[in-house]
Amino acid sequence: MLGLGYIGLPTSLLLAQNFEVIGVDINNDVVEKLNSGQIPFKEPGLNDLFLKVKNNFRASTNVDYADVFLIAVPTPLDKSVKVADLKHVQSAARMIFPYLKEGNLVILESTVPPGSSEQLVAPILGRSGLKQGDFGLVHCPERAIPGNTIYEMIHNDRIIGGFDYSSLDRAKEIYASFVRGNLYLTDIRTAELVKLMENSYRDINIALANEFAQIAEECKINIWEAIFLANKHPRVNILKPGPGVGGHCISIDPWFLTEGTTKCRMVSLAREINDSMPNYVLKIVRELLDKINEPTITVLGVSYKGNVDDTRETPALKFIKLAENEGFNVKVHDPYVKVFYKNILNFNEAVMGSDCIIVMTDHDIFKNIKPEHVSNIMRNKNLVDTRSIFNIELWKKAGFNIRVLGDGKQIP
Ligand code: SAJ
């Protein structure tokens, strides 16, 4: 397995239940941590699985001969041009080809623009001197959601795309060792497109919820109640509005679709709407605090979504930078996150003397915050809840001015 991150490590450990797995990563700290018995990030069930399969798994910074090579390295976005940066996939393929032998199978799990397996990965593997068919190449995009990765890796259906039936059958056999969902076979480009369609679909639906939230504010309607009621229709499932879309997948993958075509208007528009949500949240904060001189604000939650420690592409970062540029003094608290662009303070430090709390992430633990306690240590009692997680009546009783994203009924 090349790449021991959020996808590569859990997949390696699930495979290690039945195969001997060498996990390769260019980050020596990750390799040393794993070989000394520690896992490098938190994910429910990961540590237990690690303890169970440890004897079938070792980590290394070097590739070795193997029967099957899997690639699960990051495919970031080059943000300046909105084009996929495939350097890690390229370098993984380059690390593999010197070890590639007849009969080997290479599986690409990383998300890539349509055509990449064929145009980029296959030619690099061809430098081994072997021809397509001497070795197999398939694409099996990952589908697991951070926070529930192990369960989803086992239970979700998977798509495997390949050039020939014998590679597809072998790949199917390997995944069947731990996947209880169905395994669907197709060609390699279709598998690449399917993955991008899935994440674009979710991005578009979140953008729709975010647009509805803004409409509801103008019409003095509570969007959370309206969505609850609309979702009582048997064929409607509107997602939740929020401060924007983060994470390494949904905020990035749709751009991999747009880069190779001129037919991506809706996909691009959804990106634009979701990326503008931090600006919209700041507008709410600005309106609420317009009478306060040199305001101090407290951001609760900087991970990209609830109950995880992952801050990749978090909308909180854009919000904080925009707020700082306008002269707001920003303090930050997140019980999950250790390292961030700003110092993570403990809860009391973050709230002490503040003029406004802004909930950016729906960590369950935030629901236990007692408004009376908070109101005693803040300078002014203002609350902006972008995830609608608080019991508003309790906060009102404690004397707070409140804005819930999408709740037009609260706007005076
Ligand atoms: N979000 C909302 N409203 C919602 C749902 C999510 O604002 O109703 C926000 C979240 O707060 C977060 C972002 O969207 O900032 C993305 O979170 P998520 O939970 O929707 O998805 P990810 O990025 O954690 O994982 C997604 C999943 N894709 C789909 O659901 C189609 C996962 O299955 C993929 O494996 C993963 O991307 C990936 O690696 O591609």
Side-chain angles (χ1 to χ4, degrees), residues 7 111 142-146 152 195 198-199 202 206 210 239-242 244-250 253 304-305 315 362 387:
I7 298 301
T111 307
E142 56 86 11
R143 274 184 163 175
I145 200 147
E152 290 212 348
K195 166 72 188 190
E198 292 165 5
N199 279 353
R202 195 156 169 86
I206 297 169
N210 283 331
L239 295 176
K240 292 183 196 147
V245 167
H248 184 61
C249 309
I250 298 186
D253 298 354
Y304 81 93
K305 66 174 184 177
D362 45 352
R387 303 279 189 171

Side-chain angles (χ1 to χ4, degrees), residues 42-341:
K42 280 190 205 150
E43 179 60 40
L46 192 62
N47 204 31
D48 291 346
L49 182 62
F50 184 45
L51 294 176
K52 200 172 116 196
V53 302
K54 224 156 63 175
N55 292 339
N56 272 353
F57 174 83
R58 74 179 162 85
S60 171
T61 49
N62 299 312
V63 175
D64 204 342
Y65 290 99
D67 299 306
V68 180
F69 297 90
L70 288 104
I71 302 175
V73 294
T75 45
L77 181 74
D78 181 337
K79 289 190 183 133
S80 60
V81 281
K82 303 272 192 287
V83 170
D85 178 351
L86 299 177
K87 64 173 180 281
H88 300 298
V89 170
Q90 255 173 319
S91 90
R94 284 196 196 113
M95 284 169 83
I96 291 170
F97 88 75
Y99 295 89
L100 201 62
K101 288 187 303 190
E102 201 166 339
N104 283 170
L105 176 66
V106 179
I107 303 175
L108 177 66
E109 283 221 11
S110 310
T111 307
V112 290
S116 307
S117 305
E118 201 174 331
Q119 292 154 359
L120 186 80
V121 181
I124 297 176
L125 297 175
R127 292 183 202 164
S128 59
L130 298 171
K131 287 192 295 296
Q132 195 51 252
D134 295 340
F135 67 91
L137 173 61
V138 301
H139 179 48
C140 182
E142 56 86 11
R143 274 184 163 175
I145 200 147
N148 199 22
T149 296
I150 306 279
Y151 178 90
E152 290 212 348
M153 279 182 170
I154 296 171
H155 293 91
N156 288 357
D157 293 348
R158 296 286 289 257
I159 312 294
I160 311 175
F163 294 109
D164 57 82
Y165 285 109
S166 78
S167 322
L168 283 170
D169 286 342
R170 268 186 82 200
K172 189 173 177 181
E173 210 178 292
I174 288 157
Y175 282 99
S177 73
F178 70 89
V179 175
R180 291 199 208 140
N182 295 317
L183 296 164
Y184 294 97
L185 305 183
T186 182
D187 64 88
I188 209 152
R189 272 186 192 235
T190 303
E192 289 167 338
L193 182 67
V194 166
K195 166 72 188 190
L196 300 178
M197 283 166 49
E198 292 165 5
N199 279 353
S200 301
Y201 168 88
R202 195 156 169 86
D203 198 40
I204 289 169
N205 280 286
I206 297 169
L208 184 63
N210 283 331
E211 187 160 291
F212 285 156
Q214 295 174 52
I215 295 170
E217 289 197 4
E218 278 194 28
C219 301
K220 306 260 179 221
I221 289 163
N222 180 343
I223 196 62
W224 302 90
E225 183 192 354
I227 290 176
F228 171 80
L229 295 172
N231 286 350
K232 295 296 166 201
H233 185 290
R235 283 174 297 283
V236 173
N237 183 22
I238 300 169
L239 295 176
K240 292 183 196 147
V245 167
H248 184 61
C249 309
I250 298 186
S251 62
I252 287 180
D253 298 354
W255 294 119
F256 292 11
L257 266 187
T258 64
E259 72 176 60
T261 167
T262 53
K263 304 276 183 296
C264 264
R265 285 187 297 158
M266 200 184 280
V267 175
S268 311
L269 182 61
R271 285 283 66 246
E272 203 180 293
I273 292 172
N274 289 333
D275 276 351
S276 71
M277 288 312 289
N279 311 59
Y280 190 75
V281 176
L282 184 60
K283 173 181 154 291
I284 296 175
V285 173
R286 204 186 289 132
E287 283 167 7
L288 199 60
L289 304 186
D290 70 337
K291 302 230 160 38
I292 298 173
N293 260 345
E294 296 190 31
T296 295
I297 59 177
T298 304
V299 171
L300 289 189
V302 293
S303 64
Y304 81 93
K305 66 174 184 177
N307 308 321
V308 302
D309 63 2
D310 192 338
T311 59
R312 289 177 300 171
E313 312 303 322
T314 176
L317 181 63
K318 181 172 180 188
F319 171 80
I320 292 167
K321 289 195 171 183
L322 288 171
E324 286 182 331
N325 281 356
E326 279 189 26
F328 287 89
N329 173 32
V330 184
K331 301 205 277 180
V332 168
H333 170 70
D334 192 306
Y336 285 84
V337 176
K338 302 269 172 307
V339 185
F340 187 59
Y341 148 79

